[in-house]
Amino acid sequence: VAFAKNNAFEKLKALNANSPVAVRGTVQKKKAKASESADKPAEDSWELALEEIHPLNDFPKETIMTPETVFPPEQRYLQLRSDAELREALRFRARAHNLCKKELEEQSPPFFEIETPLLFKSTPEGAREFIVPTRREGLAYALPQSPQQYKQILMASGLPRYYQFARCFRDEDLRADRQPEFTQLDMEMSFATGDDVMRTIEGVIRRLWSSLMKDPAPEGPFRKVPYQDVMAKYGSDKPDTRYGMEIIRLDQLLPVDLIGKISDLEDPIVEAFKVEGNENDPAETHKFITQFLDSPAGAPFNNNPDGGPGVFIYNGKQPLCGLQPFGFQAAEHVEELLDPDHGDLIILQARPRAPFSGGSTPIGDLRRALHASSVSTGFKPAPTGFDFLWVVDFPLFSPSSDSEPGQGGAAGISSTHHPFTAPKRPADVDLLLTDPTQAVADHYDLVVNGVELGGGSRRIHDAAVQEFIFRDILKMPAERLDDFSHLLDALRSGCPPHAGLALGFDRLVAVMLGKESVRDVIAFPKTGRGGDDAMVGAPSPMTEQALETYHLKLRK
Ligand code: ASP
């Protein structure tokens, strides 16, 4: 404000900062100060000559709000108001949303957005659901964990190119920066294979990167790496491929007494990777790894019941360069494969001899944690850029786990992706009859920098195969199989072959903005372990009256 008439300045001074006002005045160019010149203009070169000011509401005097203030989740509105970066993230998100729409709608033939119901039905698709009781006694809806079944039914309905920004609901463990409700960019196409889907999604990614990012748009096609290979090389099905530290297998070559020192397992698999040391100084490397193993981040690895990590520092001044316990043959092999330099770290880790299953191996987790620690402690620079890849050829089925409800079948196995994913090759279809655990899925995940952005698959479009998987492979009870009758009927009605995918949109935006948490790109995220919205106080206790309305009773 430059100057004020009619005691407006006094009124302005009496107001609390951050209060909304209506003003009348003249916007004018500021007079340059002596310190400013034509080539160094003032940052803000306009000012307001204030004539009238009317307060419209009051901002509480006792609330301190600076751009740095961190407000509790209860006051998310103040956080949004004070935190320009947060508001900018939401703007960025809206732009990304529009670009995705544009890319899909400009395809030939175009995709178009179709909304599918949120009041759905409980089906054992894979994740734990939220149930919505109704006033009709004993009847409930379920919120969709994804629009998967509706979008496949759209393919049977002659709507061959669908997409949707879909809200999905999963009542799952919230530790890993997940939200009980989240947004997917969901799509499906008929008469299509996984390659068609992957090509389309690469187009979406390139459009986003070329329009919104400083980094160059990734060129396609993105490489496709089989699940077995990423698990062997990175110990993870969503590896960060930017920083090397690739894993090799050593067990056949290692002396038995060395294996016995790192693990009590009988005949384990032993794997290794190298961490490049800093400044070729073994003492620095020693300090880094000791600090890591003594820190809380290192504890789970030290306490691994299958044996903690075996740590070796490659040291040109020691016999066999510090690899003496390996024996000559294995040391030579390690040198050949890992090509260590003076001061590099070599880590060994054992695991039970079993095929890969699940998302990671102990050495993969260790690789990730060690790398994170090397960056956070300044031992290594943070990797830059984006390295996209498709992880493909997942096993069609995985051993059931307690943490995931799966399809609730009695077979002890669950679908790795979901039960609608097709076997990849004719030989994998044959394996359904002989050894389904060996069957490979036509399932693909999009991974960048250690983050799974999304996944999809070619679907089973033959009702007989789908039913066989539900009943004979997963061994779902008859009444649960009935829950899928709508889908089986739609497939039976001459449904064309189809494939699709969903991108986790919150995560995608967080990755683009380099945010640690999806909460930083959601206006009103759930927080805390229970998935609470602390601002509105949800979930909230049900009143007696509500319980009665929905014919419910609390168990003591
Ligand atoms: N419905 C799947 C999911 O939510 C995505 C897909 O297969 O299209 O992961």
Side-chain angles (χ1 to χ4, degrees), residues 97 440 498 505:
H97 180 124
V440 169
H498 56 285
F505 189 64

Side-chain angles (χ1 to χ4, degrees), residues 220-288:
F222 301 167
R223 66 190 190 284
K224 299 184 176 82
V225 190
Y227 169 81
Q228 297 296 338
D229 293 1
V230 284
M231 290 296 281
K233 204 162 166 185
Y234 303 103
S236 167
D237 67 354
K238 45 176 190 304
D240 190 336
T241 43
R242 294 171 303 166
Y243 54 78
M245 291 168 63
E246 287 164 14
I247 297 165
I248 56 164
R249 244 182 87 172
L250 284 177
D251 39 307
Q252 291 96 341
L253 288 161
L254 291 176
V256 194
D257 54 327
L258 174 58
I259 297 180
K261 278 203 189 94
I262 62 166
S263 175
D264 291 335
L265 290 171
E266 187 135 332
D267 189 28
I269 288 174
V270 182
E271 294 164 308
F273 65 86
K274 170 183 89 173
V275 187
E276 276 174 28
N278 201 347
E279 298 166 14
N280 290 351
D281 180 355
E284 280 287 305
T285 309
H286 185 262
K287 195 168 113 198
F288 162 66

Side-chain angles (χ1 to χ4, degrees), residues 125 145-149 151-152 168 170 182 184-188 197 417-418 420-421 443-445 452 454-459 499-503:
E125 201 174 298
Q145 49 188 279
S146 85
Q148 184 64 36
Q149 295 175 55
K151 70 173 171 173
Q152 288 193 238
C168 305
R170 295 182 194 171
F182 59 94
Q184 283 186 342
L185 171 54
D186 191 41
M187 57 86 84
E188 194 76 17
V197 172
H417 183 213
H418 51 50
F420 321 115
T421 294
H443 160 189
Y444 31 84
D445 273 358
E452 180 201 322
S457 55
R458 184 169 58 82
R459 325 297 186 185
L501 166 142
L503 290 176

Side-chain angles (χ1 to χ4, degrees), residues 23-27 48-52:
V23 294
R24 187 190 300 277
T26 312
V27 174
L48 178 71
L50 182 65
E51 286 159 25
E52 275 174 47

Side-chain angles (χ1 to χ4, degrees), residues 186-219:
D186 191 41
M187 57 86 84
E188 194 76 17
M189 47 202 300
S190 282
F191 299 103
T193 62
D195 283 338
D196 299 313
V197 172
M198 289 186 259
R199 207 174 313 116
T200 308
I201 292 301
E202 287 176 15
V204 170
I205 296 290
R206 256 194 303 282
R207 179 92 169 226
L208 289 173
W209 256 252
S210 60
S211 309
L212 294 177
M213 303 290 281
K214 288 204 187 81
D215 290 78
E219 278 174 29

